[in-house]
Amino acid sequence: MIDIPKKGKKFILARHFEGSPTHDNFKLVEFDIPDLQEGEILVEALFLSVDPYMRPYSARLLQEGTSTMVGSQVAKVIATKNGEYPLGTRLVGYWGWCTHSVVNPKNIATGMIGSFTHFPDIGNLSPSLGLGAIGMPGNTAYFGFLEICQPKEGDVVVVTGAAGAVGSLVGQIAKIKGCHVIGFAGSDDKVKWLVDEVGFDKAYNYKTADWDKCLKEAAPNGVDCYFDNVGGPLSTIIRNNMKDFGRISVCGSISTYNDKTPTMAPACEAAFVFKQLKMEGFLVSRWKSRWMEGLSQMTKWIQEGKIKVRETYTEGFEKMPQAFIDMLNGVNVGKAIIKV
């Protein structure tokens, strides 16, 4: 018999971010869990995610002082009045930073907030992967790299944010496709992990390396594909080292998310014109109709040992703000996960 809680906890956005997030941006509150109505289910979070997109999305989607902080979680059904969702059913949902949610599956949100999917069959793999390599970050890497960069065997691929949840997967997908992979990450330990364990051909600490020199050594004939997670001046240098007809997939710009004033970078038009480059940004929701295709392929590659996954765990729901701050500061390796 499952003990149904009467109260849940959630973090609301106490005030919008100005510069780097602090604990003052969040407020932990308790709320009453309402009785279920016919057709509804009650889900309880097992694992929650913190991701870079939460920083810019909060300004666009959330109301200061009232909105639950945006985010996803792996949850299980602990009470149900819906025969299609029996007890124990696992779901991946965008219910934000909260421990419990009452959901009516008939009222599935069309946007990101409030939407959910059934948890895929991943065998004996950890359910936390539903927030990482077999979830949104996995599909971001799979579709964002393969569909936009269109890699070919022998291509030289550069990945920034290479030790993160998405970047580490992009590099491994590129290796599966027969590419030569170069990564930039934020510490010597991450660089060592990328080369020794993940299988990158070259990796560099962007904080200490001479970017242009590294690229000319690692890719003397130029770069074919660039998967951009960070933006900023590093991206300018990489674009200048690309081959003619190079392809650039823009996933994010984490180097600028905490800026109080816009980052100034050199004009990029000359490189685009004379190298005839193609750059395209994307939201992974573009491939919503093919969602399970990506998750199935990522699951298969992990089970075959072709993709290695690393997660950085934080224990305890109350520590979500610190996990978020740490993630934006590059403390995590691989996917940042909160275990409730």
Side-chain angles (χ1 to χ4, degrees):
M1 186 70 178
I2 298 176
D3 185 22
I4 306 302
K6 297 296 183 183
K7 291 184 178 293
K9 296 178 181 179
K10 63 182 179 180
F11 279 99
I12 64 172
L13 183 68
R15 60 183 181 84
H16 283 297
F17 305 114
E18 295 181 9
S20 298
T22 70
H23 286 274
D24 292 336
N25 291 116
F26 310 98
K27 182 179 180 181
L28 178 63
V29 298
E30 276 194 343
F31 63 92
D32 294 325
I33 299 175
D35 294 333
L36 293 185
Q37 303 301 310
E38 194 62 34
E40 293 182 335
I41 59 176
L42 174 64
V43 299
E44 181 175 73
L46 302 174
F47 300 95
L48 297 105
S49 178
V50 287
D51 300 279
Y53 78 84
M54 297 174 180
R55 175 64 176 80
Y57 269 57
S58 63
R60 293 171 169 82
L61 301 177
L62 306 185
Q63 294 295 317
E64 186 176 82
T66 59
S67 294
T68 303
M69 187 62 187
V70 64
S72 59
Q73 57 181 257
V74 172
K76 68 177 179 180
V77 175
I78 62 169
T80 182
K81 287 192 174 182
N82 188 318
E84 296 181 8
Y85 295 84
L87 295 178
T89 300
R90 289 192 302 199
L91 303 170
V92 180
Y94 282 86
W95 298 306
W97 293 16
C98 62
T99 58
H100 298 83
S101 303
V102 173
V103 180
N104 187 333
K106 290 185 177 180
N107 299 329
I108 298 176
T110 55
M112 180 179 70
I113 295 178
S115 64
F116 70 91
T117 59
H118 281 274
F119 197 84
D121 181 8
I122 62 172
N124 295 325
L125 298 173
S126 171
S128 61
L129 294 181
L131 299 174
I134 311 177
M136 180 275 290
N139 272 351
T140 298
Y142 180 81
F143 291 112
F145 176 59
L146 295 179
E147 294 292 320
I148 294 178
C149 285
Q150 296 286 316
K152 300 183 292 292
E153 185 174 358
D155 276 354
V156 176
V157 175
V158 173
V159 184
T160 50
V166 174
S168 60
L169 300 176
V170 170
Q172 293 180 82
I173 294 171
K175 290 300 297 180
I176 290 170
K177 298 300 180 179
C179 300
H180 182 85
V181 182
I182 303 163
F184 285 90
S187 73
D188 291 342
D189 287 341
K190 290 180 179 181
V191 165
K192 181 176 173 57
W193 175 66
L194 288 172
V195 174
D196 293 350
E197 297 184 40
V198 179
F200 279 53
D201 295 286
K202 294 285 185 179
Y204 301 98
N205 183 344
Y206 77 87
K207 295 178 181 177
T208 58
D210 181 324
W211 306 333
D212 191 63
K213 181 180 178 181
C214 290
L215 288 167
K216 284 181 167 51
E217 289 176 350
N221 296 318
V223 174
D224 296 285
C225 303
Y226 172 34
F227 194 92
D228 185 3
N229 283 307
V230 304
L234 175 55
S235 288
T236 300
I237 298 297
I238 294 169
R239 289 194 296 263
N240 289 339
N241 279 275
M242 296 193 74
K243 295 179 184 178
D244 290 353
F245 302 103
R247 290 90 68 200
I248 304 164
S249 178
V250 183
C251 179
S253 183
I254 194 171
S255 71
T256 67
Y257 287 167
N258 292 328
D259 287 353
K260 292 184 177 181
T261 57
T263 297
M264 303 302 291
C268 62
E269 288 79 6
F272 277 88
V273 172
F274 292 106
K275 292 177 180 289
Q276 302 184 73
L277 304 178
K278 178 181 178 181
M279 181 166 75
E280 183 176 346
F282 71 94
L283 299 176
V284 70
S285 56
R286 180 194 307 188
W287 296 283
K288 185 176 181 180
S289 65
R290 297 171 59 189
W291 200 254
M292 294 311 297
E293 171 196 331
L295 300 189
S296 296
Q297 183 61 75
M298 294 300 293
T299 301
K300 185 172 184 291
W301 280 334
I302 293 169
Q303 290 173 334
E304 292 173 344
K306 294 180 179 178
I307 284 184
K308 298 178 176 63
V309 177
R310 186 163 170 180
E311 298 172 308
T312 298
Y313 277 94
T314 298
E315 297 274 350
F317 178 76
E318 290 78 7
K319 295 181 181 178
M320 284 202 71
Q322 187 61 53
F324 179 64
I325 292 167
D326 287 345
M327 179 273 303
L328 287 176
N329 288 327
V331 173
N332 62 293
V333 179
K335 183 72 189 78
I337 296 289
I338 293 80
K339 184 177 181 180
V340 180

mmCIF file with all atom_site columns, all heavy atoms in Angstrom, residues 88-103:
data_model
loop_
_atom_site.group_PDB
_atom_site.id
_atom_site.type_symbol
_atom_site.label_atom_id
_atom_site.label_alt_id
_atom_site.label_comp_id
_atom_site.label_asym_id
_atom_site.label_entity_id
_atom_site.label_seq_id
_atom_site.pdbx_PDB_ins_code
_atom_site.Cartn_x
_atom_site.Cartn_y
_atom_site.Cartn_z
_atom_site.occupancy
_atom_site.B_iso_or_equiv
_atom_site.pdbx_formal_charge
_atom_site.auth_seq_id
_atom_site.auth_comp_id
_atom_site.auth_asym_id
_atom_site.auth_atom_id
_atom_site.pdbx_PDB_model_num
ATOM 1   N N   . GLY A 1 88  ? 2.647  2.756  -10.479 1.00 0.00 ? 88  GLY A N   1
ATOM 2   C CA  . GLY A 1 88  ? 4.004  2.378  -10.846 1.00 0.00 ? 88  GLY A CA  1
ATOM 3   C C   . GLY A 1 88  ? 4.417  2.774  -12.249 1.00 0.00 ? 88  GLY A C   1
ATOM 4   O O   . GLY A 1 88  ? 5.594  2.648  -12.599 1.00 0.00 ? 88  GLY A O   1
ATOM 5   N N   . THR A 1 89  ? 3.467  3.255  -13.060 1.00 0.00 ? 89  THR A N   1
ATOM 6   C CA  . THR A 1 89  ? 3.814  3.703  -14.403 1.00 0.00 ? 89  THR A CA  1
ATOM 7   C C   . THR A 1 89  ? 4.848  4.818  -14.331 1.00 0.00 ? 89  THR A C   1
ATOM 8   O O   . THR A 1 89  ? 4.699  5.764  -13.560 1.00 0.00 ? 89  THR A O   1
ATOM 9   C CB  . THR A 1 89  ? 2.556  4.221  -15.143 1.00 0.00 ? 89  THR A CB  1
ATOM 10  O OG1 . THR A 1 89  ? 1.591  3.174  -15.229 1.00 0.00 ? 89  THR A OG1 1
ATOM 11  C CG2 . THR A 1 89  ? 2.915  4.702  -16.546 1.00 0.00 ? 89  THR A CG2 1
ATOM 12  N N   . ARG A 1 90  ? 5.884  4.711  -15.146 1.00 0.00 ? 90  ARG A N   1
ATOM 13  C CA  . ARG A 1 90  ? 6.928  5.743  -15.165 1.00 0.00 ? 90  ARG A CA  1
ATOM 14  C C   . ARG A 1 90  ? 6.722  6.669  -16.355 1.00 0.00 ? 90  ARG A C   1
ATOM 15  O O   . ARG A 1 90  ? 6.461  6.226  -17.472 1.00 0.00 ? 90  ARG A O   1
ATOM 16  C CB  . ARG A 1 90  ? 8.320  5.121  -15.200 1.00 0.00 ? 90  ARG A CB  1
ATOM 17  C CG  . ARG A 1 90  ? 8.711  4.453  -13.893 1.00 0.00 ? 90  ARG A CG  1
ATOM 18  C CD  . ARG A 1 90  ? 10.168 4.095  -13.842 1.00 0.00 ? 90  ARG A CD  1
ATOM 19  N NE  . ARG A 1 90  ? 10.582 3.203  -14.910 1.00 0.00 ? 90  ARG A NE  1
ATOM 20  C CZ  . ARG A 1 90  ? 11.692 2.460  -14.878 1.00 0.00 ? 90  ARG A CZ  1
ATOM 21  N NH1 . ARG A 1 90  ? 12.483 2.535  -13.824 1.00 0.00 ? 90  ARG A NH1 1
ATOM 22  N NH2 . ARG A 1 90  ? 12.011 1.675  -15.878 1.00 0.00 ? 90  ARG A NH2 1
ATOM 23  N N   . LEU A 1 91  ? 6.876  7.957  -16.088 1.00 0.00 ? 91  LEU A N   1
ATOM 24  C CA  . LEU A 1 91  ? 6.686  8.984  -17.099 1.00 0.00 ? 91  LEU A CA  1
ATOM 25  C C   . LEU A 1 91  ? 7.856  9.966  -17.048 1.00 0.00 ? 91  LEU A C   1
ATOM 26  O O   . LEU A 1 91  ? 8.513  10.106 -16.011 1.00 0.00 ? 91  LEU A O   1
ATOM 27  C CB  . LEU A 1 91  ? 5.377  9.742  -16.863 1.00 0.00 ? 91  LEU A CB  1
ATOM 28  C CG  . LEU A 1 91  ? 4.089  8.911  -16.815 1.00 0.00 ? 91  LEU A CG  1
ATOM 29  C CD1 . LEU A 1 91  ? 2.930  9.771  -16.323 1.00 0.00 ? 91  LEU A CD1 1
ATOM 30  C CD2 . LEU A 1 91  ? 3.777  8.327  -18.181 1.00 0.00 ? 91  LEU A CD2 1
ATOM 31  N N   . VAL A 1 92  ? 8.095  10.637 -18.149 1.00 0.00 ? 92  VAL A N   1
ATOM 32  C CA  . VAL A 1 92  ? 9.043  11.750 -18.197 1.00 0.00 ? 92  VAL A CA  1
ATOM 33  C C   . VAL A 1 92  ? 8.226  13.000 -18.500 1.00 0.00 ? 92  VAL A C   1
ATOM 34  O O   . VAL A 1 92  ? 7.589  13.093 -19.547 1.00 0.00 ? 92  VAL A O   1
ATOM 35  C CB  . VAL A 1 92  ? 10.120 11.554 -19.273 1.00 0.00 ? 92  VAL A CB  1
ATOM 36  C CG1 . VAL A 1 92  ? 11.080 12.743 -19.294 1.00 0.00 ? 92  VAL A CG1 1
ATOM 37  C CG2 . VAL A 1 92  ? 10.897 10.265 -19.029 1.00 0.00 ? 92  VAL A CG2 1
ATOM 38  N N   . GLY A 1 93  ? 8.200  13.948 -17.554 1.00 0.00 ? 93  GLY A N   1
ATOM 39  C CA  . GLY A 1 93  ? 7.332  15.104 -17.724 1.00 0.00 ? 93  GLY A CA  1
ATOM 40  C C   . GLY A 1 93  ? 8.000  16.419 -17.390 1.00 0.00 ? 93  GLY A C   1
ATOM 41  O O   . GLY A 1 93  ? 8.916  16.474 -16.561 1.00 0.00 ? 93  GLY A O   1
ATOM 42  N N   . TYR A 1 94  ? 7.495  17.478 -18.029 1.00 0.00 ? 94  TYR A N   1
ATOM 43  C CA  . TYR A 1 94  ? 7.973  18.835 -17.764 1.00 0.00 ? 94  TYR A CA  1
ATOM 44  C C   . TYR A 1 94  ? 7.063  19.494 -16.726 1.00 0.00 ? 94  TYR A C   1
ATOM 45  O O   . TYR A 1 94  ? 6.324  20.425 -17.028 1.00 0.00 ? 94  TYR A O   1
ATOM 46  C CB  . TYR A 1 94  ? 8.034  19.642 -19.062 1.00 0.00 ? 94  TYR A CB  1
ATOM 47  C CG  . TYR A 1 94  ? 9.248  19.300 -19.885 1.00 0.00 ? 94  TYR A CG  1
ATOM 48  C CD1 . TYR A 1 94  ? 9.226  18.227 -20.767 1.00 0.00 ? 94  TYR A CD1 1
ATOM 49  C CD2 . TYR A 1 94  ? 10.431 20.015 -19.747 1.00 0.00 ? 94  TYR A CD2 1
ATOM 50  C CE1 . TYR A 1 94  ? 10.345 17.889 -21.512 1.00 0.00 ? 94  TYR A CE1 1
ATOM 51  C CE2 . TYR A 1 94  ? 11.561 19.691 -20.482 1.00 0.00 ? 94  TYR A CE2 1
ATOM 52  C CZ  . TYR A 1 94  ? 11.508 18.633 -21.361 1.00 0.00 ? 94  TYR A CZ  1
ATOM 53  O OH  . TYR A 1 94  ? 12.625 18.294 -22.085 1.00 0.00 ? 94  TYR A OH  1
ATOM 54  N N   . TRP A 1 95  ? 7.143  18.978 -15.508 1.00 0.00 ? 95  TRP A N   1
ATOM 55  C CA  . TRP A 1 95  ? 6.323  19.494 -14.409 1.00 0.00 ? 95  TRP A CA  1
ATOM 56  C C   . TRP A 1 95  ? 7.099  20.426 -13.489 1.00 0.00 ? 95  TRP A C   1
ATOM 57  O O   . TRP A 1 95  ? 6.595  20.830 -12.449 1.00 0.00 ? 95  TRP A O   1
ATOM 58  C CB  . TRP A 1 95  ? 5.736  18.314 -13.626 1.00 0.00 ? 95  TRP A CB  1
ATOM 59  C CG  . TRP A 1 95  ? 4.834  17.466 -14.483 1.00 0.00 ? 95  TRP A CG  1
ATOM 60  C CD1 . TRP A 1 95  ? 3.762  17.891 -15.210 1.00 0.00 ? 95  TRP A CD1 1
ATOM 61  C CD2 . TRP A 1 95  ? 4.942  16.054 -14.724 1.00 0.00 ? 95  TRP A CD2 1
ATOM 62  N NE1 . TRP A 1 95  ? 3.184  16.844 -15.876 1.00 0.00 ? 95  TRP A NE1 1
ATOM 63  C CE2 . TRP A 1 95  ? 3.891  15.694 -15.607 1.00 0.00 ? 95  TRP A CE2 1
ATOM 64  C CE3 . TRP A 1 95  ? 5.806  15.055 -14.281 1.00 0.00 ? 95  TRP A CE3 1
ATOM 65  C CZ2 . TRP A 1 95  ? 3.690  14.390 -16.046 1.00 0.00 ? 95  TRP A CZ2 1
ATOM 66  C CZ3 . TRP A 1 95  ? 5.607  13.766 -14.722 1.00 0.00 ? 95  TRP A CZ3 1
ATOM 67  C CH2 . TRP A 1 95  ? 4.563  13.439 -15.596 1.00 0.00 ? 95  TRP A CH2 1
ATOM 68  N N   . GLY A 1 96  ? 8.317  20.731 -13.862 1.00 0.00 ? 96  GLY A N   1
ATOM 69  C CA  . GLY A 1 96  ? 9.083  21.710 -13.115 1.00 0.00 ? 96  GLY A CA  1
ATOM 70  C C   . GLY A 1 96  ? 9.759  21.145 -11.887 1.00 0.00 ? 96  GLY A C   1
ATOM 71  O O   . GLY A 1 96  ? 9.804  19.931 -11.661 1.00 0.00 ? 96  GLY A O   1
ATOM 72  N N   . TRP A 1 97  ? 10.284 22.062 -11.078 1.00 0.00 ? 97  TRP A N   1
ATOM 73  C CA  . TRP A 1 97  ? 11.006 21.680 -9.870  1.00 0.00 ? 97  TRP A CA  1
ATOM 74  C C   . TRP A 1 97  ? 9.990  21.421 -8.760  1.00 0.00 ? 97  TRP A C   1
ATOM 75  O O   . TRP A 1 97  ? 9.797  22.252 -7.866  1.00 0.00 ? 97  TRP A O   1
ATOM 76  C CB  . TRP A 1 97  ? 11.961 22.789 -9.454  1.00 0.00 ? 97  TRP A CB  1
ATOM 77  C CG  . TRP A 1 97  ? 13.100 23.039 -10.397 1.00 0.00 ? 97  TRP A CG  1
ATOM 78  C CD1 . TRP A 1 97  ? 13.232 22.628 -11.687 1.00 0.00 ? 97  TRP A CD1 1
ATOM 79  C CD2 . TRP A 1 97  ? 14.280 23.802 -10.114 1.00 0.00 ? 97  TRP A CD2 1
ATOM 80  N NE1 . TRP A 1 97  ? 14.408 23.075 -12.225 1.00 0.00 ? 97  TRP A NE1 1
ATOM 81  C CE2 . TRP A 1 97  ? 15.082 23.799 -11.287 1.00 0.00 ? 97  TRP A CE2 1
ATOM 82  C CE3 . TRP A 1 97  ? 14.732 24.491 -8.982  1.00 0.00 ? 97  TRP A CE3 1
ATOM 83  C CZ2 . TRP A 1 97  ? 16.308 24.459 -11.348 1.00 0.00 ? 97  TRP A CZ2 1
ATOM 84  C CZ3 . TRP A 1 97  ? 15.953 25.147 -9.053  1.00 0.00 ? 97  TRP A CZ3 1
ATOM 85  C CH2 . TRP A 1 97  ? 16.730 25.122 -10.226 1.00 0.00 ? 97  TRP A CH2 1
ATOM 86  N N   . CYS A 1 98  ? 9.360  20.276 -8.789  1.00 0.00 ? 98  CYS A N   1
ATOM 87  C CA  . CYS A 1 98  ? 8.379  19.934 -7.754  1.00 0.00 ? 98  CYS A CA  1
ATOM 88  C C   . CYS A 1 98  ? 8.426  18.442 -7.489  1.00 0.00 ? 98  CYS A C   1
ATOM 89  O O   . CYS A 1 98  ? 8.823  17.655 -8.349  1.00 0.00 ? 98  CYS A O   1
ATOM 90  C CB  . CYS A 1 98  ? 6.975  20.386 -8.152  1.00 0.00 ? 98  CYS A CB  1
ATOM 91  S SG  . CYS A 1 98  ? 6.341  19.609 -9.637  1.00 0.00 ? 98  CYS A SG  1
ATOM 92  N N   . THR A 1 99  ? 8.002  18.069 -6.290  1.00 0.00 ? 99  THR A N   1
ATOM 93  C CA  . THR A 1 99  ? 8.068  16.666 -5.886  1.00 0.00 ? 99  THR A CA  1
ATOM 94  C C   . THR A 1 99  ? 6.868  15.869 -6.360  1.00 0.00 ? 99  THR A C   1
ATOM 95  O O   . THR A 1 99  ? 6.972  14.666 -6.593  1.00 0.00 ? 99  THR A O   1
ATOM 96  C CB  . THR A 1 99  ? 8.167  16.550 -4.360  1.00 0.00 ? 99  THR A CB  1
ATOM 97  O OG1 . THR A 1 99  ? 7.030  17.194 -3.758  1.00 0.00 ? 99  THR A OG1 1
ATOM 98  C CG2 . THR A 1 99  ? 9.459  17.183 -3.841  1.00 0.00 ? 99  THR A CG2 1
ATOM 99  N N   . HIS A 1 100 ? 5.705  16.522 -6.474  1.00 0.00 ? 100 HIS A N   1
ATOM 100 C CA  . HIS A 1 100 ? 4.474  15.825 -6.833  1.00 0.00 ? 100 HIS A CA  1
ATOM 101 C C   . HIS A 1 100 ? 3.653  16.680 -7.795  1.00 0.00 ? 100 HIS A C   1
ATOM 102 O O   . HIS A 1 100 ? 3.657  17.911 -7.689  1.00 0.00 ? 100 HIS A O   1
ATOM 103 C CB  . HIS A 1 100 ? 3.628  15.519 -5.587  1.00 0.00 ? 100 HIS A CB  1
ATOM 104 C CG  . HIS A 1 100 ? 4.309  14.616 -4.614  1.00 0.00 ? 100 HIS A CG  1
ATOM 105 N ND1 . HIS A 1 100 ? 5.227  15.077 -3.684  1.00 0.00 ? 100 HIS A ND1 1
ATOM 106 C CD2 . HIS A 1 100 ? 4.220  13.260 -4.432  1.00 0.00 ? 100 HIS A CD2 1
ATOM 107 C CE1 . HIS A 1 100 ? 5.681  14.050 -2.971  1.00 0.00 ? 100 HIS A CE1 1
ATOM 108 N NE2 . HIS A 1 100 ? 5.085  12.945 -3.404  1.00 0.00 ? 100 HIS A NE2 1
ATOM 109 N N   . SER A 1 101 ? 2.952  16.004 -8.696  1.00 0.00 ? 101 SER A N   1
ATOM 110 C CA  . SER A 1 101 ? 2.108  16.712 -9.663  1.00 0.00 ? 101 SER A CA  1
ATOM 111 C C   . SER A 1 101 ? 0.844  15.916 -9.914  1.00 0.00 ? 101 SER A C   1
ATOM 112 O O   . SER A 1 101 ? 0.893  14.686 -10.059 1.00 0.00 ? 101 SER A O   1
ATOM 113 C CB  . SER A 1 101 ? 2.842  16.898 -10.995 1.00 0.00 ? 101 SER A CB  1
ATOM 114 O OG  . SER A 1 101 ? 4.062  17.593 -10.819 1.00 0.00 ? 101 SER A OG  1
ATOM 115 N N   . VAL A 1 102 ? -0.283 16.612 -9.964  1.00 0.00 ? 102 VAL A N   1
ATOM 116 C CA  . VAL A 1 102 ? -1.540 16.012 -10.376 1.00 0.00 ? 102 VAL A CA  1
ATOM 117 C C   . VAL A 1 102 ? -1.710 16.294 -11.867 1.00 0.00 ? 102 VAL A C   1
ATOM 118 O O   . VAL A 1 102 ? -1.628 17.441 -12.306 1.00 0.00 ? 102 VAL A O   1
ATOM 119 C CB  . VAL A 1 102 ? -2.727 16.581 -9.582  1.00 0.00 ? 102 VAL A CB  1
ATOM 120 C CG1 . VAL A 1 102 ? -4.049 16.071 -10.149 1.00 0.00 ? 102 VAL A CG1 1
ATOM 121 C CG2 . VAL A 1 102 ? -2.600 16.194 -8.107  1.00 0.00 ? 102 VAL A CG2 1
ATOM 122 N N   . VAL A 1 103 ? -1.938 15.234 -12.628 1.00 0.00 ? 103 VAL A N   1
ATOM 123 C CA  . VAL A 1 103 ? -1.939 15.335 -14.086 1.00 0.00 ? 103 VAL A CA  1
ATOM 124 C C   . VAL A 1 103 ? -3.218 14.721 -14.639 1.00 0.00 ? 103 VAL A C   1
ATOM 125 O O   . VAL A 1 103 ? -3.641 13.640 -14.207 1.00 0.00 ? 103 VAL A O   1
ATOM 126 C CB  . VAL A 1 103 ? -0.714 14.596 -14.684 1.00 0.00 ? 103 VAL A CB  1
ATOM 127 C CG1 . VAL A 1 103 ? -0.716 14.691 -16.202 1.00 0.00 ? 103 VAL A CG1 1
ATOM 128 C CG2 . VAL A 1 103 ? 0.581  15.144 -14.099 1.00 0.00 ? 103 VAL A CG2 1
#
